[in-house]
Amino acid sequence: MARKMGIIGMGHVGSTLTHGLIAQGLADHYVLIDPKEEKVRAEQLDFQDAMANHSSFATITINDYAALADADVVVSALGNISLQHNAGEDRFAEFAFMQEQVPKVAASLKASGFSGILIVISNPVDAVSALYQALTGFPRERVIGTGTLLDTARMKRVVSERLGVTPKSVSGYTLGEHGNSQFTAWSQVRVEGQAISALLSEKALDDLTLATMKGGHTVFYGKGYTSYGIATTAIRLIKAIFSDAKKALVVSSYQETLGTYIGYPALIGHDGKVGDVTLPLTDDEIAKLEASANLIKKRVDQALDDLL
């Protein structure tokens, strides 16, 4: 069956994501949308020039929202990465910009007749996911953010470096906001099947929590943007949708008990979020999750009051 994808926003993340998707042959038709006409046309030509050397072929359309009507998945990769250079290293620094962009994109998506899965990369991803859902009216299970899936990968990296193991031997989750109120649920983390609390001190775990949270800004300050980590995160999520994997991934989805979008494991399949996961968190971890949810919800409510 032919698969069609849309990517809205062709900056560093959008273009890296598109390249990864095409290289892996995950779709047959891509619709690339960006207000910078010259940039998106150049990306189209560059991808087309690469087609003869790929093992698969894909059609590429640019700046045509109507072509998204029958898309299986659309990814919002819009953003203004320069705003991440702020004193608080706060991803909400992009929220004012996104409050201007999301209503326009949401209206265009609705008008196109799109009825697939909307994946949100744009920061602050939890709040932006909530805005998209509210402004499009799409079912909550069909609007999913990348959440703390990338932060979880960063946690696995810093743990693996600390213990001298491969990241693939580390399991567990970083939860909450994809931002400064996130936390790693250390009660859930295992290294080669062993509880991490038996391997590292509380002080060491606190240091790793900070390293996980600051990982994205470390990359940002080094090269001016992030791209490979988040693009690979989105591809993993897209693969779970295309394969109807029903796999537990720590994405940003609407959590009924918390009343907001937030990073927490959910089962991901062909129809988006297809099931819930319940983690046996400690009381302290539950309190951190609730505090993070309240922060997100407050900012979203304020934004919707301004927009609606």
Side-chain angles (χ1 to χ4, degrees):
M1 179 183 294
R3 292 170 173 165
K4 181 187 281 191
M5 284 204 55
I7 295 93
I8 302 173
M10 290 303 295
H12 293 297
V13 174
S15 58
T16 303
L17 170 61
T18 306
H19 173 262
L21 293 165
I22 292 173
Q24 296 186 46
L26 292 182
D28 307 284
H29 190 169
Y30 296 89
V31 181
L32 312 181
I33 293 177
D34 194 285
K36 297 178 180 177
E37 182 72 30
E38 186 175 1
K39 172 68 161 61
V40 71
R41 173 59 175 155
E43 294 287 11
Q44 179 190 35
L45 289 173
D46 209 4
F47 289 133
Q48 288 173 333
D49 287 344
M51 285 298 171
N53 291 315
H54 279 305
S55 59
S56 60
F57 177 81
T59 300
I60 299 175
T61 301
I62 61 172
N63 283 352
D64 182 3
Y65 270 100
L68 297 177
D70 58 347
D72 299 285
V73 174
V74 167
V75 180
S76 169
L78 290 166
N80 185 346
I81 190 65
S82 66
L83 297 174
Q84 291 301 320
H85 206 301
N86 63 87
E89 296 185 339
D90 187 354
R91 289 185 178 87
F92 268 100
E94 289 190 67
F95 199 32
F97 172 80
M98 291 307 300
Q99 286 179 65
E100 296 177 356
Q101 301 302 313
V102 171
K104 292 182 278 190
V105 175
S108 295
L109 281 175
K110 288 176 64 178
S112 76
F114 170 68
S115 60
I117 310 301
L118 175 61
I119 295 176
V120 180
I121 293 177
S122 306
N123 279 319
V125 67
D126 308 286
V128 173
S129 298
L131 286 190
Y132 268 120
Q133 192 282 319
L135 296 176
T136 59
F138 295 162
R140 287 170 174 164
E141 64 271 16
R142 289 184 171 270
V143 180
I144 306 168
T146 46
T148 48
L149 189 54
L150 175 54
D151 303 290
T152 295
R154 288 172 175 153
M155 177 272 289
K156 292 178 180 180
R157 172 180 58 80
V158 299
V159 168
S160 71
E161 290 172 346
R162 179 69 170 76
L163 295 175
V165 299
T166 171
K168 292 186 178 296
S169 69
V170 182
S171 63
Y173 304 103
T174 294
L175 306 176
E177 174 202 2
H178 176 57
N180 291 345
S181 67
Q182 69 175 242
F183 66 98
T184 296
W186 293 116
S187 69
Q188 306 300 303
V189 176
R190 301 287 183 273
V191 180
E192 297 176 345
Q194 189 172 5
I196 196 169
S197 58
L199 302 172
L200 294 173
S201 67
E202 187 173 339
K203 171 62 168 60
L205 296 180
D206 288 343
D207 291 343
L208 293 177
T209 295
L210 182 61
T212 297
M213 183 175 68
K214 297 300 183 182
H217 280 90
T218 301
V219 174
F220 169 72
Y221 290 134
K223 68 178 194 177
Y225 57 92
T226 63
S227 55
Y228 301 122
I230 185 57
T232 305
T233 297
I235 289 172
R236 186 182 182 194
L237 181 51
I238 291 163
K239 283 182 173 180
I241 292 168
F242 280 167
S243 65
D244 195 24
K246 299 180 176 64
K247 184 175 180 61
L249 297 175
V250 60
V251 298
S252 185
S253 66
Y254 189 83
Q255 296 292 321
E256 291 285 351
T257 57
L258 297 170
T260 191
Y261 274 77
I262 193 168
Y264 191 87
L267 298 180
I268 303 300
H270 181 265
D271 295 321
K273 179 181 176 180
V274 296
D276 293 300
V277 174
T278 301
L279 298 176
L281 301 177
T282 66
D283 289 344
D284 179 60
E285 290 166 349
I286 292 171
K288 289 178 179 178
L289 185 65
E290 291 174 345
S292 189
N294 289 337
L295 182 153
I296 296 165
K297 190 173 186 301
K298 181 179 179 180
R299 298 297 292 270
V300 170
D301 289 347
Q302 289 173 343
L304 290 175
D305 283 345
D306 293 338
L307 290 171
L308 298 179

